[in-house]
Amino acid sequence: MNQRLLFLGPPGAGKGTQAQQLAARHGMLHLSTGDMLRAEVDAGTPLGIEVNAVMERGDLVSDEQVLAIVRGRLLNPNQGWLLDGFPRTLVQAEALADLLEELQQPLQRAVLIDLADDLLVQRLLNRGRADDTADTIRNRLRVYQEKTAPLIAFYEERGLLARVDGEGTIDEIAARLEDLLT
Ligand code: B4P
């Protein structure tokens, strides 16, 4: 599938889970800013050392740092791609639009995977990553409402938004995405 997509949604909605599977099924490039940042932390790079505490609090890494790591990865026009967890702020969304115009790779769809807060909290507590404690999850949900939820209107106004219900099993949601995208 030679599509250019992004996945939007609250923490724990299943963006990473679905993005990984969809990209593998269709030979797309999967770019997860969360995975890229965690790899920097694990490798102990200067960037990783700087962002570690930010991520453990559930805050967002700075737009400049995230944009720098995404920019270098979007240069292959012969392959579809799927951005997972990026953009997360209006500044990132504007910067992405500029970058894609420069690369002549317009975005085709922004897919919102949505889920009620109580189910999000449950999934994240079950996952148990370093940033999946009750306090951090509460902060991540607050940050999502404040900084990321405005992107829903941003992509709706541009006629790019599609919504998928994130409640159900992983396979059920994967089937919804296949129906939507193929
Ligand atoms: P991310 O790595 O993007 O992770 P997430 O939003 O917490 O999770 P996601 O929605 O992908 O859920 P998942 O599939 O894993 O972000 C982590 C941090 O990185 C951010 O807080 C921020 O600090 C930083 N960051 C990342 N991108 C950034 C950016 N652009 N700008 C600034 N900072 C950035 O699913 C969650 C759990 O649910 C898993 O355990 C999964 O197995 C389970 N699950 C999934 N689907 C399920 C289903 N249908 N039923 C039951 N369980 C399910």
Side-chain angles (χ1 to χ4, degrees):
M1 185 160 44
N2 206 16
Q3 295 198 34
R4 296 177 297 273
L5 309 173
L6 64 83
F7 279 1
L8 189 65
K15 303 179 296 291
T17 305
Q18 295 297 335
Q20 200 175 10
Q21 293 193 7
L22 188 80
R25 279 198 302 274
H26 295 286
M28 301 163 80
L29 181 65
H30 171 206
L31 292 181
S32 157
T33 42
D35 287 350
M36 289 187 246
L37 291 166
R38 279 185 290 278
E40 298 281 340
V41 171
D42 291 347
T45 64
L47 173 64
I49 290 166
E50 240 178 89
V51 302
N52 190 20
V54 177
M55 292 177 75
E56 284 202 347
R57 281 198 306 273
D59 286 331
L60 294 181
V61 172
S62 79
D63 291 330
E64 293 71 26
Q65 285 169 318
V66 173
L67 284 165
I69 60 171
V70 170
R71 197 183 165 82
R73 303 288 297 277
L74 267 185
L75 301 174
N76 182 356
N78 298 321
Q79 189 183 19
W81 43 253
L82 175 45
L83 300 178
D84 156 19
F86 173 87
R88 258 176 158 98
T89 64
L90 281 170
V91 170
Q92 291 180 16
E94 303 273 12
L96 176 66
D98 289 348
L99 174 63
L100 295 181
E101 196 178 327
E102 185 189 315
L103 299 175
Q104 298 187 313
Q105 295 187 53
L107 179 72
Q108 291 167 306
R109 204 107 56 132
V111 181
L112 171 67
I113 304 180
D114 214 355
L115 190 63
D117 277 9
D118 54 337
L119 293 174
L120 295 172
V121 172
Q122 207 44 59
R123 281 190 193 173
L124 293 173
L125 287 173
N126 286 344
R127 179 172 63 183
R129 211 169 60 192
D131 58 345
D132 288 337
T133 64
D135 280 353
T136 300
I137 292 169
R138 211 171 304 121
N139 189 42
R140 285 160 64 196
L141 290 172
R142 194 185 55 73
V143 170
Y144 172 76
Q145 284 307 334
E146 187 186 322
K147 305 238 169 91
T148 309
L151 299 188
I152 298 169
F154 178 94
Y155 288 113
E156 202 155 37
E157 281 159 18
R158 286 159 182 76
L160 292 170
L161 191 78
R163 295 171 191 263
V164 165
D165 180 3
E167 187 172 352
T169 66
I170 291 174
D171 286 349
E172 283 166 352
I173 296 151
R176 283 174 209 153
L177 284 163
E178 287 292 332
D179 284 350
L180 176 74
L181 298 169
T182 56

